[in-house]
Amino acid sequence: MGCRHVAHVYAERKGEKPETYISVTYPARWLLNYALRNYFAVDPVVNYGQESGMVVLLNEVADQNAPLKAMINDARSFGVGKSFLAVSAMPYSEYRGAVLFTFDVEPEAMKVLLEEREEKIIAAARHLHVETLKARGLVTSVLREFQLSRLELRCLSLMAHGVSSAEIAGELGIPADQLSSMLADLCQRLGCINSMQLISRAISLGLVNMFDDVMTPPHSGSSPRQASPARPN
């Protein structure tokens, strides 16, 4: 994807003392500076700052958040990157996490790239998240990776909210026979025998957000939530 560095964060919320696990490709000198300046307290990726929107360009969020802006400017001076992209990974499942990609392009150019690559970036974040959880032995069951398009994810969300097939086809702008083919393909890929099982499977895998206004197209962008992260591993 052309990114310079990647950071993955997962907070295991089971038990009385949740554990935060972090994996990064940052240079050691930036990690030391990051710890000395206690950037854990303002880093929205560590603190799960994407309450809405799958992808957030943190440079834009930082314009309204002075501590975050200071961290990003510091990271830029250390050569970590110029644009910082936070991506929610499986945000609606019990295995939700966050991934940060840094790019050596300015934020304005990053917005253009994001329009072209957003779907690929979300898929990459999910792949990295799933494989990291498997490698750490943090999942209780085998998580499969499903590369679904935005259209397919939208279809699953509408189905889960009880929208009729005719309304789904109209909302997606596709004919009924194409919708039927899409559902048959999704059932095969997710190992389901019917639409009800498909919906249940999509929810359990975190592919569907049950709290969205389904008739309003999803959007990107949010403000980070300040929190005190658990001791990281």
Side-chain angles (χ1 to χ4, degrees):
M1 299 189 320
C3 67
R4 182 172 181 82
H5 285 290
V6 178
H8 172 264
V9 180
Y10 171 65
E12 189 176 40
R13 303 178 187 277
K14 298 177 181 178
E16 295 182 359
K17 296 183 178 179
E19 294 284 349
T20 299
Y21 298 86
I22 302 176
S23 306
V24 300
T25 64
Y26 299 146
R29 64 192 189 97
W30 167 246
L31 287 174
L32 178 61
N33 182 70
Y34 183 98
L36 288 173
R37 294 180 182 272
N38 194 30
Y39 284 140
F40 290 111
V42 301
D43 191 332
V45 178
V46 174
N47 292 314
Y48 288 88
Q50 297 89 269
E51 292 183 350
S52 64
M54 289 285 292
V55 182
V56 180
L57 182 58
L58 294 182
N59 302 69
E60 292 187 324
V61 176
D63 289 337
Q64 288 79 43
N65 187 303
L68 177 58
K69 188 170 186 176
M71 186 189 78
I72 288 178
N73 288 339
D74 206 8
R76 286 172 63 105
S77 70
F78 272 78
V80 176
K82 296 178 181 178
S83 291
F84 299 79
L85 206 62
V87 186
S88 296
M90 298 177 66
Y92 314 118
S93 80
E94 62 178 303
Y95 297 109
R96 63 188 181 276
V99 179
L100 178 76
F101 298 107
T102 76
F103 292 82
D104 277 334
V105 297
E106 294 295 342
E108 288 303 315
M110 189 66 239
K111 286 191 288 187
V112 176
L113 288 175
L114 186 56
E115 291 180 359
E116 303 171 353
R117 305 180 187 176
E118 183 173 7
E119 196 167 302
K120 182 180 292 186
I121 287 170
I122 292 172
R126 181 184 174 87
H127 175 76
L128 189 151
H129 177 63
V130 170
E131 293 305 314
T132 302
L133 293 189
K134 287 180 181 178
R136 286 182 175 273
L138 294 171
V139 291
T140 56
S141 59
V142 177
L143 288 177
R144 289 183 57 196
E145 182 187 355
F146 298 101
Q147 300 288 356
L148 303 185
S149 69
R150 181 172 298 185
L151 190 69
E152 290 169 331
L153 290 171
R154 183 77 173 138
C155 176
L156 290 174
S157 181
L158 291 166
M159 287 178 61
H161 285 82
V163 180
S164 70
S165 296
E167 289 177 311
I168 292 175
E171 178 73 10
L172 300 181
I174 62 176
D177 57 345
Q178 183 178 340
L179 176 62
S180 296
S181 297
M182 180 190 299
L183 293 178
D185 180 62
L186 286 170
C187 282
Q188 182 176 11
R189 289 157 63 191
L190 271 66
C192 302
I193 59 175
N194 55 43
S195 295
M196 291 301 296
Q197 191 178 40
L198 178 62
I199 294 169
S200 177
R201 185 88 167 119
I203 293 172
S204 68
L205 290 170
L207 299 172
V208 171
N209 178 11
M210 293 305 297
F211 302 99
D212 273 345
D213 179 354
V214 294
M215 300 310 286
T216 302
H219 62 281
S220 297
S222 67
S223 298
R225 177 177 66 240
Q226 298 301 317
S228 297
R231 177 180 58 81
N233 292 280

